[in-house]
Amino acid sequence: MGRIFVISDVHGYYDLFIKLLNEISFNDLDKLYVIGDVCDRGEDSLKLLFYIQEHDNIILIKGNHELMMRDAFKAGDLNTSQGRLWFQNGGNKTCTSYHQYLQKKAFDEYEYSILK
C-alpha cells in the first residue's frame, strides 16, 4: 500500500515540484493530492499541468488561480475585469508558458511536415 501526500500552491514551479517528488521518493503506489494553484507566477505552469495529467496517482483539485484562469478564458478577452484580475495574480506567467509551448509545438509540427 502506498502513501498519501497533499500539497498546494506550486504556482508553475515545475523543477521545484519534481525536486519535492524526488525528496519524498514519490512512486506509482503513492497518491498525491494537489489542492490548487498549480498555475501562475512560475515559468512552467503548462509543463506542470501536463505532468500532473500524465500521472493517474496525482489528483488536481482546482484552486482560486485555476478558477481565475478559467474565468478569464471564458470571458473571451483578457482585457476584461476577469482577465485583469488573473494577470494581477500571476496569469501573465501562465500565458507566457502557454504561448511558448504552443509556439514550439507549432514549429515542431511544421518541421515534421517538411521532413515527412
Side-chain angles (χ1 to χ4, degrees):
M1 183 180 208
R3 303 163 296 162
I4 297 174
F5 297 96
V6 179
I7 189 173
S8 69
D9 297 281
V10 182
H11 287 295
Y13 292 103
Y14 175 84
D15 291 339
L16 193 58
F17 179 75
I18 296 302
K19 184 178 178 180
L20 172 72
L21 294 182
N22 290 333
E23 283 287 321
I24 63 173
S25 301
F26 188 74
N27 64 63
D28 291 341
L29 297 175
D30 296 332
K31 187 164 293 262
L32 172 63
Y33 292 91
V34 182
I35 53 174
D37 299 351
V38 297
C39 64
D40 304 342
R41 300 187 181 141
E43 303 292 329
D44 293 312
S45 293
L46 191 60
K47 187 176 180 180
L48 181 56
L49 183 59
F50 284 161
Y51 183 88
I52 290 169
Q53 289 177 338
E54 291 168 0
H55 292 82
D56 292 334
N57 61 333
I58 303 177
I59 313 304
L60 172 61
I61 300 169
K62 292 177 188 167
N64 65 316
H65 284 263
E66 286 79 29
L67 297 178
M68 281 188 282
M69 180 174 62
R70 180 205 61 197
D71 292 345
F73 285 132
K74 279 176 73 176
D77 182 355
L78 296 178
N79 199 24
T80 62
S81 61
Q82 294 95 335
R84 287 190 299 274
L85 175 66
W86 181 44
F87 268 57
Q88 289 169 354
N89 286 281
N92 56 327
K93 294 281 192 173
T94 299
C95 278
T96 300
S97 174
Y98 279 40
H99 178 72
Q100 288 171 343
Y101 171 80
L102 293 174
Q103 192 174 38
K104 181 183 180 329
K105 183 176 182 199
F107 178 77
D108 290 347
E109 288 173 359
Y110 175 74
E111 187 177 48
Y112 175 77
S113 68
I114 290 174
L115 297 174
K116 192 173 178 184

